Amino acid sequence: MKETKKFKTETKRLLDMMINSIYTHKEIFLRELISNASDAIDKRHYLSLTDTSKACDEYQILIEADRANRTLTITDNGIGMTKEELVSHLGTIAKSGSKEFLEQIQNDKAPEVDIIGQFGVGFYSAFMVAKKIDVFTKSVEDGTAHRFSSEGLESYSIEPVESEVYGTKIVLYLRDNTEEENYDHFLEEYEIKELVKKYSDYVRYPIKTWVTKYDEKPADAKEDDETPTHLELETINSMIPIWKKNKNEVTEEELNNFYKNKFMDYQDPITTIHVNVEGMLTYNALLFIPKKPIYDFGDRNERGLQLYTKGVFILDKCKDLIPEYLRFVKGLVDSADLPLNISREMLQEDRAIKKIATNVEKKILSELARMLKNDREKYEEFFNDYGVNLKYGLYEEYGAKKDSLKDLIILSSLNEDKRITFAEYKEKMKEGQKDIYYAVGKDKDAVLNLPQMDLIKNKEYDVLILKDDVDEFMLQVLAEYDGCHFKSINQGDLGLIDEEESKKIDEMKESKKDLLEAMKQALPECKDIVFSKRLVEAPCCLSTPDGLSFEMERVLSQQNHREMKADRILEINPNHEVFKAMEQAYQKDATSLPKYAKLLYTQALIMEGILPTDPKEFSNTLCELMMLSLNQ
Ligand code: ADP
C-alpha cells in the first residue's frame, strides 16, 4: 500500500534551499550519492563478515544516463534500506552535517564561499538538479523492498515493490533546462567521467558507467559514413587508495583533493603527513591538519582516525589511534595486521593498534617540530587554532607527555614581537638570570602595568605572557625547562635582589613587627603581610606562595571548584611614602590602622583584577579619607 508522509519542517527548509539553490557547485550531488552508495556497500560488506549469506561477489556502483527520458540513475548493491530507514534517513535530516549546514545558511543569508562544499549535505543535494527522485531499495537486513518517491516539496510517498536484488537504485528526473542552467550535461558521458574522477576517484568499489566505444568502419564504408559505435560498461574510478601509493607517487594536489573530498572541507589542509611503514608492523597512514578546525572539532567524542585493514573500511573515528589532545587531526590508518572483524572493544587491547597509535603520534609531533623550524609563519597559524590542544596535552596525565611537547609550545613575551619557544627565551636570558619569568595578562601593557613587575622591568628580563586558561597549569606541570625554573612574577620568592638587600628587608620586618602584626589583625583574610622583595615604585601588591595562583583560582572557580582558593599575601613596599605615612599615623593613633590596611589591601586586590567583596565599604572609606585630606 502506498503511503504519503509529510516532510518535517527542518527537512523542508533544507529542501527549499536545495531547490532554490543558487550555488554553482550543483555537481556535488553526484559525489554525495556515490559516497552514500559506497557507505552502503561498506555496511553490507561488514555484515557479511559475520553472516556470509549477506555477501555479494561483485560490489559496484552503476551510473546510467537515459538521455531520452532525461533521467540519471545511480545503483548500488549495498545494504539497502528498510521502510523505517527510508522514513528516518531520507524523510528527516539524519546527519549532523546537514543540520549544521542549515544553521550556517540561516546565519549567513548570502554566503560568500561555496559552503555547500563544506558540509556533507547528502541525499538532499540531489534536489539541486532533480525535480523528482525515486529511490528503489531492498534491505539486506529484512529482505523487504520499497519505493520512496518525492518531488522535494511537502511530502514523499513510500510503497512496497518487488525486487530481486539487494541494494539501492536512485532515479533522478532532471530539472528542466533554463537559460542559466543546462541540466542535460549531467547526462553526458564525459561529464559523468569528469565528476567521478574529480570527486570519487578513490572510492574503493568500481564505479561503472556505459561508455561509447568506436568500432572499425566496415571495409565498404564511405568516407562520410559515421564510425559505428557500441556501449561498454567501464569502471571509471581508479580505486587505488591514495594512501597505498608510495609517497613520491602522489602529488600534493592529489592529497589535498582527497582530503577535501573525504573530510568535507573546502580549504586545503595546513599540512599532510603521509606514512608508509613496512616491517614488523605494516601500515599506511594519511593524516591531515585542517586549515581551520572542522565543525565537529569541539566534540570530544568525534575524535579519531578512520581505520581500514587491507583497504577495507572497518571503523570511522577510531579513538584508539590518536591521543585526545591531537583530536583535530583528520585522517586514516590502513593496516594489514588487523583482522577484518575487529571490534571497538578488541581495538583497545590490540597491540598493533597501540603501536600504530604511538607511531602516528610521534609522526605528527615531528612534523610539527619540522614546521616550527622551517616554516615559522605556518606554525604560528597552526598554533593560533590548535596550540591550546598541545598545551592541554602537556598538562594532562600529570605531564606524561611533557618531554615530547615542551619544545612545540610558543608563548608571547614582553621583549619579543612574536611568540617564542622556551629554548628561545632561554637563549636570550640576561646575564645572571637564572629563572624563566611569566605573568598572566591579556597583552604587554597589562603586564607592564603590574606592580609586581617593578624589579623585573629594571633588570630588563623578558617575561612570558600567559593568555590561555591552561597556560599556568601547563607551566606548573612543566616546573622547569632545561634547568631553569618557571617563576610567576607574583608568586613565591623571585630571587631578584641581592643578599644584602634581602637581609635589610628582613631586619626591617623584625623592627616593625608590631605594625605588621596590627595589620594582620585587621586583615584576617590575608595569609601573611610582608615587606616586598619585588616592588620599587608601587606601594603594595598581592602575591601567593608557590602553588595555586590567583589565575588558577579564577579558572578553577569557573569549573566549579570554588573551594580552591589561592593564599593571599599582602606585600608592602617599605620605602614607599604611603607606608611611611601610615606608620606615623599608627604611632599617633593605633585605631586608625585597620582602615588604612584595608584600603591598601583592596587596592592590591583591584590591581590583581579581583573586585573587593564589599565595594560599598571600600567606597565609604575612600570618601572618608578624601574628606580628611580636603578639609586639611
Ligand atoms: P549522510 O551524510 O548521513 O549520508 P544523507 O542525507 O546523504 O546523509 O543520507 C542519510 C542516510 O540515508 C544515510 O546515512 C544512510 O543511512 C541512508 N542512505 C542514503 N543513501 C543510501 C544508499 N544508497 N543505500 C543505503 N542507505 C542509504
Side-chain angles (χ1 to χ4, degrees):
M1 201 189 63
K2 183 163 167 174
E3 287 176 52
T4 304
K5 291 180 187 285
K6 283 210 175 333
F7 282 118
K8 295 233 168 82
T9 335
E10 117 183 302
T11 314
K12 248 193 70 52
R13 243 187 292 148
L14 185 59
L15 280 166
D16 286 343
M17 280 303 312
M18 291 300 164
I19 290 166
N20 303 313
S21 155
I22 34 128
Y23 299 106
T24 45
H25 280 62
K26 294 190 171 164
E27 62 189 32
I28 60 110
F29 80 92
L30 191 60
R31 170 190 83 185
E32 298 292 317
L33 296 185
I34 290 176
S35 135
N36 281 351
S38 156
D39 289 349
I41 296 177
D42 278 341
K43 287 181 195 157
R44 178 171 178 185
H45 179 67
Y46 188 63
L47 269 189
S48 73
L49 297 175
T50 45
D51 180 353
T52 45
S53 71
K54 301 203 158 135
C56 170
D57 291 342
E58 214 189 318
Y59 290 113
Q60 65 167 22
I61 298 163
L62 180 65
I63 305 176
E64 293 167 294
D66 178 342
R67 284 169 201 103
N69 292 311
R70 301 188 69 247
T71 62
L72 188 68
T73 303
I74 293 102
T75 310
D76 66 69
N77 46 9
I79 194 164
M81 279 174 275
T82 62
K83 182 176 164 193
E84 291 68 40
E85 284 167 348
L86 277 173
V87 174
S88 68
H89 294 159
L90 302 189
T92 34
I93 298 182
K95 211 191 121 143
S96 57
S98 303
K99 279 192 186 159
E100 189 96 5
F101 172 73
L102 249 187
E103 276 159 23
Q104 180 102 11
I105 291 265
Q106 275 154 2
N107 298 341
D108 191 358
K109 292 238 162 48
E112 296 206 344
V113 281
D114 174 24
I115 61 168
I116 277 194
Q118 230 181 110
F119 298 102
V121 282
F123 173 75
Y124 300 104
S125 64
F127 281 105
M128 289 195 289
V129 301
K131 55 186 175 192
K132 178 182 165 192
I133 301 180
D134 277 347
V135 179
F136 297 88
T137 183
K138 180 171 178 175
S139 163
V140 170
E141 294 193 76
D142 70 0
T144 59
H146 291 90
R147 180 175 95 141
F148 164 105
S149 182
S150 173
E151 297 187 7
L153 300 169
E154 291 294 323
S155 59
Y156 58 93
S157 67
I158 295 186
E159 63 187 313
V161 288
E162 290 295 319
S163 170
E164 293 289 308
V165 286
Y166 290 123
T168 303
K169 176 164 93 175
I170 297 180
V171 186
L172 309 180
Y173 296 83
L174 293 189
R175 292 163 68 165
D176 299 331
N177 293 325
T178 62
E179 263 178 37
E180 298 90 48
E181 195 78 50
N182 170 17
Y183 296 94
D184 278 351
H185 73 268
F186 294 122
L187 299 168
E188 300 299 338
E189 241 174 74
Y190 70 85
E191 180 76 9
I192 294 172
K193 279 172 149 176
E194 281 274 320
L195 292 182
V196 168
K197 268 266 162 261
K198 180 163 168 197
Y199 293 115
S200 315
D201 198 39
Y202 304 111
V203 168
R204 292 173 305 288
Y205 306 104
I207 302 171
K208 295 181 179 173
T209 195
W210 294 100
V211 176
T212 310
K213 295 286 169 188
Y214 290 90
D215 299 322
E216 291 258 315
K217 274 191 189 179
D220 57 346
K222 296 198 185 91
E223 206 172 305
D224 293 349
D225 282 355
E226 272 188 26
T227 315
T229 59
H230 71 278
L231 290 174
E232 261 177 36
L233 205 53
E234 195 175 277
T235 300
I236 49 179
N237 57 329
S238 72
M239 286 189 293
I240 302 177
I242 189 167
W243 59 90
K244 285 253 169 131
K245 293 187 182 171
N246 220 317
K247 262 193 270 186
N248 45 24
E249 286 169 19
V250 191
T251 65
E252 190 178 329
E253 198 190 348
E254 276 180 296
L255 288 170
N256 287 349
N257 283 341
F258 172 81
Y259 161 76
K260 286 189 282 193
N261 197 351
K262 189 159 185 80
F263 295 100
M264 313 286 187
D265 200 351
Y266 66 103
Q267 300 189 80
D268 289 341
I270 299 183
T271 194
T272 302
I273 307 165
H274 190 171
V275 193
N276 304 122
V277 175
E278 265 179 60
M280 294 277 280
L281 194 66
T282 300
Y283 73 94
N284 299 295
L286 257 188
L287 311 161
F288 305 94
I289 300 179
K291 183 157 253 153
K292 285 279 155 203
I294 341 193
Y295 59 80
D296 61 6
F297 167 74
D299 185 346
R300 292 187 167 216
N301 293 321
E302 285 286 342
R303 105 184 122 98
L305 302 178
Q306 293 191 337
L307 177 66
Y308 291 78
T309 179
K310 302 184 192 80
V312 177
F313 174 79
I314 304 289
L315 277 180
D316 201 12
K317 310 214 167 94
C318 174
K319 291 194 183 80
D320 305 291
L321 283 171
I322 197 144
E324 180 164 326
Y325 76 92
L326 292 176
R327 66 182 183 275
F328 53 87
V329 176
K330 300 275 158 192
L332 56 90
V333 167
D334 188 349
S335 166
D337 300 322
L338 298 168
L340 275 175
N341 59 353
I342 193 161
S343 69
R344 278 190 195 269
E345 291 70 41
M346 285 155 72
L347 278 174
Q348 286 176 2
E349 298 307 318
D350 192 277
R351 285 189 44 214
I353 288 282
K354 281 197 179 134
K355 266 209 166 131
I356 295 175
T358 314
N359 278 359
V360 159
E361 182 179 0
K362 268 195 207 142
K363 290 271 177 203
I364 296 170
L365 297 186
S366 66
E367 167 62 22
L368 291 176
R370 199 195 54 77
M371 198 197 296
L372 171 63
K373 187 163 167 245
N374 301 337
D375 193 345
R376 185 67 172 238
E377 214 172 293
K378 197 163 155 187
Y379 189 80
E380 299 228 351
E381 202 187 309
F382 156 82
F383 207 82
N384 287 342
D385 285 313
Y386 304 111
V388 70
N389 292 61
L390 300 188
K391 293 172 177 177
Y392 272 106
L394 202 159
Y395 164 67
E396 278 160 359
E397 295 174 52
Y398 307 103
K401 304 269 165 78
K402 64 181 177 189
D403 286 333
S404 40
L405 289 174
K406 64 182 182 212
D407 285 313
L408 291 174
I409 304 298
I410 48 174
L411 292 168
S412 305
S413 89
L414 208 54
N415 295 352
E416 301 291 329
D417 291 331
K418 61 176 177 61
R419 282 168 293 182
I420 52 171
T421 61
F422 299 130
E424 285 161 349
Y425 180 101
K426 201 177 164 214
E427 241 166 62
K428 291 203 180 169
M429 271 175 27
K430 298 270 181 285
E431 220 185 292
Q433 184 180 350
K434 288 193 214 72
D435 300 313
I436 298 178
Y437 294 98
Y438 67 85
V440 176
K442 68 178 185 344
D443 52 31
K444 286 188 189 191
D445 284 344
V447 169
L448 276 171
N449 286 333
L450 292 170
Q452 294 92 337
M453 284 291 296
D454 280 1
L455 256 181
I456 297 180
K457 265 191 294 197
N458 289 354
K459 292 191 179 277
E460 295 180 355
Y461 288 176
D462 199 3
V463 175
L464 294 174
I465 303 173
L466 309 190
K467 295 174 184 174
D468 279 335
D469 282 356
V470 63
D471 286 349
E472 209 170 355
F473 292 87
M474 168 184 78
L475 292 191
Q476 294 227 343
V477 160
L478 206 48
E480 53 113 29
Y481 180 85
D482 201 9
C484 299
H485 289 271
F486 289 103
K487 289 227 154 139
S488 163
I489 60 147
N490 61 0
Q491 276 191 292
D493 181 7
L494 292 184
L496 285 176
I497 54 174
D498 56 37
E499 241 171 73
E500 205 177 311
E501 242 172 299
S502 179
K503 221 161 108 198
K504 243 200 255 161
I505 293 178
D506 289 342
E507 281 164 14
M508 192 166 350
K509 190 173 157 194
E510 227 8 75
S511 65
K512 302 195 191 294
K513 221 158 85 194
D514 288 355
L515 174 62
L516 289 177
E517 199 45 49
M519 286 182 81
K520 264 191 224 175
Q521 297 283 336
L523 296 170
E525 58 272 56
C526 270
K527 173 98 177 154
D528 203 1
I529 298 175
V530 299
F531 288 134
S532 180
K533 293 182 180 173
R534 66 187 105 216
L535 294 176
V536 180
E537 306 269 322
C540 63
C541 73
L542 276 192
S543 71
T544 60
D546 287 327
L548 196 65
S549 71
F550 297 121
E551 189 55 20
M552 293 166 88
E553 172 187 309
R554 184 186 64 75
V555 175
L556 288 168
S557 96
Q558 278 170 358
Q559 296 168 353
N560 283 328
H561 293 296
R562 294 216 172 74
E563 70 290 354
M564 308 280 275
K565 288 264 178 240
D567 285 335
R568 285 141 166 73
I569 298 174
L570 178 62
E571 297 197 7
I572 292 169
N573 181 351
N575 302 320
H576 198 281
E577 290 305 318
V578 154
F579 176 71
K580 292 178 184 158
M582 216 167 89
E583 196 180 5
Q584 278 169 15
Y586 171 67
Q587 274 152 9
K588 250 194 257 159
D589 172 12
T591 57
S592 67
L593 187 80
K595 208 173 277 177
Y596 295 117
K598 273 194 182 138
L599 255 188
L600 217 50
Y601 174 63
T602 313
Q603 282 182 49
L605 277 178
I606 292 173
M607 280 188 285
E608 214 46 58
I610 305 171
L611 287 181
T613 36
D614 189 347
K616 196 164 161 220
E617 189 196 3
F618 174 60
S619 160
N620 286 347
T621 320
L622 258 189
C623 281
E624 237 176 78
L625 291 173
M626 275 173 75
M627 295 307 292
L628 263 181
S629 78
L630 291 171
N631 287 337
Q632 260 176 13

